[in-house]
């Protein structure tokens, strides 16, 4: 069934996925329509296809399957549309003047002859051009929405397609639908392939096969790989496209000639790379080896004497291994320091700071995430920055990796430092490492600190592991647990898990060990959920002055199921921050954001504005401002403005940011977060739930990473079978990378 009408009211719109409930006025009546309607506003005329359904609470509604926008076809309707606020630079009065002046020719004037708009008083040449550009953009996006919708591709990609391909987007897509793979990341290749075949692309068309190859390489990067074995790639493409191996081989040659891929013989295997990944690996290896081989201009000559003075001043006694690590930093330009909890990494960093500051050298501390940087600041007493902020990384196209535009083209701000210390190196991916090395002056010392047994980076590569494995860059592995740390059951159990051993038994514990690790055995997920809620709502008060919103974090391996983050967040919000007539809230799909909620930023937003109250050198309270909130930062909703629908969040480092409705998809509740999201952070109290889950999640390094998130108290809820499986399940899924090989090759 088909309806055509004008949108007279939008009752509800999900800012995340554009699910909309609206009222349209047809020639006969007013009708409520429901469905996914992106880019529609009051005043738009739309043609919808679907069926009437009976809602048990709201009665008869028209459920939209597909839709298209229709340009208003009368001067009156067009005036209403122009006055709706959709077109930049046009209000009600200007809309009336334009339609009165040009009548039925208004659309042609706006699209093709905008200079005539200058006839209207108040419209300058510049404003006329802005109005035309805004109108054309809206027009073209409409067309793209309708075009993509016909092939089952979400309208959320329409604006992105327009931004990349402009007014000729549809023509370009019709000529080669596979270009959408490079724009609409995450779109199902089979959808695009189906669309291409409908448009007449042949099965063995080279465009189709090349796109299938690139798609296979892209999919591999989602799992952290930088390259794929040629034989595996060919097998994947054969299954995907049902084409011959000979055709695939020919397309591989073409892509290689066009410099979109690199095929490399290495260690008796043949590997295939997207060009950008290959170039970035080369760049990281070359810059790393070059930095390390430069003259050691920051070397301290009387290092033993200087260390002794620092030990006396700081009232500490460094272990032999710690002294070895510090001397390694002094003797080399690039040094890796790796080790688990309680092995003295923080003491080494503090000593390095003191040592080089005394030599009038500037030391810069940084980490991959905001929380990791905050932890570094707290443990060293010296301000640490995120790598993104330090490198002044602006908005970088996340899809650049998959096109000929290389991420390595990014030219960051050179770092003014004599010594750079990077913590939580296991979280640094290939591209972030490339940016970092591209911003370091020759002669600067680089100290990479991390725990190679933790989870690998979310992004591609296994940078820390590869550099260590190359054995070219000096690496100090700390394996001694210090006496104070050895009293902690958290620390001892973390190391036991890392060795493949079970938790401490009562017989193995010493009488003076801290009671900081509790294991609640529970097979029932319903009972486990009750345990979590009980622990979060006051039960832990007898162990310390712990308040959920200040000290406690729930972590879990998975998002799904009763004990995944989605369900845990619903139950914890209900228990810890229930509805209250004095608390404003905003519904976003199935999620309710409420004043007082704990939330996490889940993607990098380089543009969002923030303010922060600080005390300057004159002991005056001043306001610091900036932009950028990054993936993993946690905060609390302080205010929801019902008039302009903005949401105000104060983050844990006291930054205050305001979110527009369109930006709310970047926030998730963080009463419970995944262990992956917790990496790089520490919390006073961690409640770790381990439900039965996919074997790919139940790994030793995930369990180890979770345990090491707790500073003062860890409560683990699970059962022996699942946890025993995790301890034995060494994650053998080594990522396909070539960085180790390239570093070794450069050293030969």
């Amino acid at each position: 069934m088909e309806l055509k009408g004008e949108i007279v009211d939008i009752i509800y719109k999900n800012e995340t996925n554009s699910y909309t409930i609206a009222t349209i006025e047809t020639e006969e009546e007013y009708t409520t329509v429901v469905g996914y309607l992106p880019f529609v506003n009051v005043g738009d005329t739309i043609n919808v296809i679907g069926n009437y359904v009976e809602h048990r609470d709201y009665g008869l509604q028209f459920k939209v399957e597909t839709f298209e926008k229709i340009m208003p076809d009368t001067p009156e309707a067009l005036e209403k549309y122009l006055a709706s606020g959709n077109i930049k630079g046009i209000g009600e009065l200007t809309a009336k003047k334009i339609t009165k002046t040009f009548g039925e020719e208004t659309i042609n004037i706006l699209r093709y002859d905008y200079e005539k708009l200058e006839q209207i008083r108040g419209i300058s040449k510049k404003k006329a051009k802005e109005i035309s550009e805004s109108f054309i953009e809206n027009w073209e996006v409409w067309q793209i929405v309708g075009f993509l919708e016909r092939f089952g591709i979400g309208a959320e990609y329409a604006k992105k397609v327009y931004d990349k391909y402009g007014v000729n987007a549809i023509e370009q897509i019709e000529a080669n639908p596979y270009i959408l793979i490079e724009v609409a990341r995450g779109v199902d290749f089979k959808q695009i392939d189906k669309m291409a075949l409908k448009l007449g692309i042949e099965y063995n068309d080279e465009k189709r096969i090349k796109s299938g190859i690139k798609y296979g390489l892209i999919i591999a990067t989602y799992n952290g790989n930088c390259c794929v074995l040629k034989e595996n790639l060919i097998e994947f493409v054969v299954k995907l496209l049902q084409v011959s191996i000979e055709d695939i081989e020919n397309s591989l040659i073409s892509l290689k000639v066009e410099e979109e891929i690199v095929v490399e013989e290495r260690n008796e295997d043949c590997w295939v790379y997207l060009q950008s990944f290959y170039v970035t690996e080369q760049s990281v290896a070359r810059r790393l080896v070059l930095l390390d081989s430069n003259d050691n201009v920051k070397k301290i000559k009387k290092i033993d004497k200087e260390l002794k003075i620092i030990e006396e001043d700081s009232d500490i006694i460094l272990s032999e291994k710690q002294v070895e690590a510090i001397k390694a930093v002094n003797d080399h330009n690039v040094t890796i320091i790796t080790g688990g909890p309680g092995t003295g990494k923080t003491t080494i960093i503090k000593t390095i700071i003191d040592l080089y500051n005394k030599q009038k050298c500037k030391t810069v501390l940084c980490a991959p995430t905001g929380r990791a940087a905050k932890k570094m600041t707290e443990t060293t007493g010296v301000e640490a920055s995120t790598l993104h902020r330090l490198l002044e990384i602006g908005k970088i196209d996340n899809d650049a990796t998959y096109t000929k535009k290389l991420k390595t083209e990014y030219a960051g701000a050179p770092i003014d430092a004599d010594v750079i210390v990077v913590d939580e190196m296991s979280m640094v991916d290939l591209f972030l490492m490339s940016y970092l090395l591209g911003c370091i002056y020759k002669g600067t010392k680089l100290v990479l600190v991390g725990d190679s047994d933790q989870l690998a980076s979310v992004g591609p590569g296994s940078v820390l592991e590869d550099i260590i494995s190359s054995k070219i860059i000096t690496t100090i592995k700390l394996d001694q647990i210090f006496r104070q740390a050895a009293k902690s059951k958290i620390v001892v159990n973390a190391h036991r898990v890392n060795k493949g051993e079970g938790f401490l038994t009562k017989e193995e514990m010493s009488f003076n060990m801290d009671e900081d690790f509790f294991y609640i055995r529970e097979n029932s997920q319903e009972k486990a959920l009750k345990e979590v809620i009980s622990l979060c709502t006051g039960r832990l008060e007898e162990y310390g002055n712990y308040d959920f919103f200040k000290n406690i974090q729930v972590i879990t391996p998975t998002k799904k199921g009763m004990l995944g983050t989605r369900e845990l967040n619903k139950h914890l919000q209900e228990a810890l921050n229930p509805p209250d007539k004095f608390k404003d809230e905003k519904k976003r799909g199935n999620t309710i954001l409420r004043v007082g909620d704990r939330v996490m930023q889940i993607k990098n937003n380089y543009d969002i504005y923030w303010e922060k109250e600080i005390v300057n050198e004159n002991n005056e309270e001043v306001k610091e401002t900036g932009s950028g909130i990054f993936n993993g930062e946690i905060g609390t909703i302080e205010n929801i403005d019902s008039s302009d629908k903005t949401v105000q969040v104060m983050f844990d480092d006291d930054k205050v940011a305001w979110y527009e409705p369109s930006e709310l998809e970047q926030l998730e509740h963080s009463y419970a977060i995944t262990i992956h999201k917790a990496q790089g952070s520490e919390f006073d109290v961690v409640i770790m739930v381990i439900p039965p889950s996919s074997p790919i999640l139940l790994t030793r390094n995930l369990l180890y990473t979770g345990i090491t998130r707790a500073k003062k108290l860890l409560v683990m809820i699970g059962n022996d079978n699942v946890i025993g499986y995790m301890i034995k399940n060494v994650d053998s899924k080594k990522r396909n990378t070539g960085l180790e090989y390239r570093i070794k090759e450069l050293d030969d």
Side-chain angles (χ1 to χ4, degrees), residues 670-690:
S670 62
Y671 295 94
I673 61 176
T674 63
I675 296 172
H676 280 87
K677 286 288 187 185
Q679 190 173 5
S681 304
E682 279 188 345
F683 309 92
D684 286 342
V685 180
V686 168
I687 299 167
M688 180 159 63
V689 196
I690 307 290

Side-chain angles (χ1 to χ4, degrees), residues 562-582:
M562 185 180 293
L563 297 177
T565 54
R566 291 171 188 150
E567 288 301 313
L568 282 171
N569 275 314
K570 286 179 188 175
H571 289 286
L572 288 169
Q573 182 194 37
E574 187 180 331
L576 294 161
N577 191 31
D580 187 315
K581 64 180 179 180
F582 299 109

Side-chain angles (χ1 to χ4, degrees), residues 174-196:
E174 285 179 329
N176 182 9
Y178 298 103
I179 61 176
L180 288 170
I181 294 165
E182 295 176 359
V183 179
R185 186 181 177 188
V187 167
D188 186 355
F189 177 88
K190 290 180 180 177
Q191 274 188 322
I192 295 173
D193 193 39
K194 188 177 178 182
M195 170 183 177

Side-chain angles (χ1 to χ4, degrees), residues 570-609:
K570 286 179 188 175
H571 289 286
L572 288 169
Q573 182 194 37
E574 187 180 331
L576 294 161
N577 191 31
D580 187 315
K581 64 180 179 180
F582 299 109
K583 287 184 178 179
D584 290 324
E585 58 183 47
K586 178 175 177 57
K587 190 166 184 181
R588 194 197 71 201
N590 294 323
T591 302
I592 294 174
L593 295 174
R594 184 175 296 132
V595 170
D597 277 344
R598 290 290 279 161
V599 290
M600 174 185 276
Q601 176 80 14
I602 59 169
K603 63 185 287 189
N604 291 335
N605 183 332
Y606 302 94
D607 299 326
I608 196 164
Y609 171 82

Side-chain angles (χ1 to χ4, degrees), residues 368 386-398 407 410 429 432 435 601 603-610 626-631 633 659 663 666:
T386 64
L387 279 165
H388 285 83
R389 202 171 297 287
L390 176 67
L391 303 176
E392 297 182 14
I393 296 176
K395 188 184 290 183
I396 296 174
D397 182 4
N398 289 329
K407 285 192 173 186
Y410 168 73
D429 67 29
L432 190 54
Y435 302 150
Q601 176 80 14
K603 63 185 287 189
N604 291 335
N605 183 332
Y606 302 94
D607 299 326
I608 196 164
Y609 171 82
W610 55 260
S627 62
I629 303 291
F630 300 105
N631 189 357
E633 294 195 55
Y659 286 75
E663 296 170 317
Q666 300 171 26

Side-chain angles (χ1 to χ4, degrees), residues 82-285:
L82 293 177
S84 67
N86 294 330
I87 309 302
K88 186 179 178 183
I90 299 182
E92 287 184 23
L93 187 60
T94 305
K96 188 181 287 291
K97 288 179 181 178
I98 291 173
T99 52
K100 187 176 180 181
T101 303
F102 300 111
E104 293 182 356
E105 284 298 304
T106 298
I107 289 175
N108 287 332
I109 297 295
L110 290 168
R111 291 190 70 191
Y112 306 115
D113 208 3
Y114 69 85
E115 291 91 348
K116 289 185 178 178
L117 293 173
E118 295 175 57
Q119 298 174 23
I120 296 170
R121 189 176 179 182
I123 297 182
S124 64
K125 186 174 183 179
K126 182 181 177 182
K127 188 173 181 181
K129 188 179 180 183
E130 284 180 354
I131 289 170
S132 176
E133 287 175 348
S134 180
F135 182 86
I136 289 170
E137 179 174 328
N138 271 269
W139 175 283
E140 294 299 333
V141 169
W142 284 10
Q143 311 309 310
I144 295 166
V145 167
F147 180 74
L148 295 179
E149 191 72 32
R150 283 168 29 210
F151 298 96
I153 294 175
E156 66 269 24
Y157 295 112
K159 182 71 166 62
K160 212 172 179 186
V161 170
Y162 175 79
D163 289 342
K164 187 168 180 69
Y165 297 111
V167 294
N168 297 318
I170 291 175
E171 289 83 351
Q172 291 187 62
I173 294 167
E174 285 179 329
N176 182 9
Y178 298 103
I179 61 176
L180 288 170
I181 294 165
E182 295 176 359
V183 179
R185 186 181 177 188
V187 167
D188 186 355
F189 177 88
K190 290 180 180 177
Q191 274 188 322
I192 295 173
D193 193 39
K194 188 177 178 182
M195 170 183 177
L197 294 170
K198 273 188 182 179
L199 290 171
I201 298 284
E202 297 292 333
Y203 255 71
N204 62 347
D205 189 299
E206 191 175 53
K207 290 195 291 280
R208 181 172 184 256
I209 299 170
K210 284 180 179 178
S211 296
I213 291 168
K214 287 194 284 185
Y215 176 69
L217 293 170
I218 290 168
I219 289 295
T221 68
Y222 292 169
N223 295 320
N225 298 302
C226 296
C227 53
V228 178
L229 278 169
K230 183 181 174 183
E231 60 195 74
N232 292 347
L233 178 62
I234 290 173
E235 183 183 347
F236 173 84
V237 177
V238 167
K239 287 180 180 176
L240 181 71
L241 302 180
Q242 302 297 307
V243 292
S244 71
I245 293 175
E246 183 183 355
D247 285 339
I248 297 169
E249 290 277 13
N250 290 335
S251 293
L252 283 168
I253 292 168
S254 293
L255 286 168
K256 188 177 177 182
V257 170
E258 292 160 7
E259 296 187 344
E260 291 200 50
I261 67 168
V262 173
V263 181
E264 178 184 57
E265 297 283 345
R266 186 176 78 229
N267 298 332
E268 299 181 0
D269 287 315
C270 188
W271 297 93
V272 185
Y273 283 83
L274 286 165
Q275 174 84 0
S276 57
F277 281 78
Y278 182 81
V279 171
T280 306
E281 272 194 355
Q282 282 189 318
S283 171
V284 169

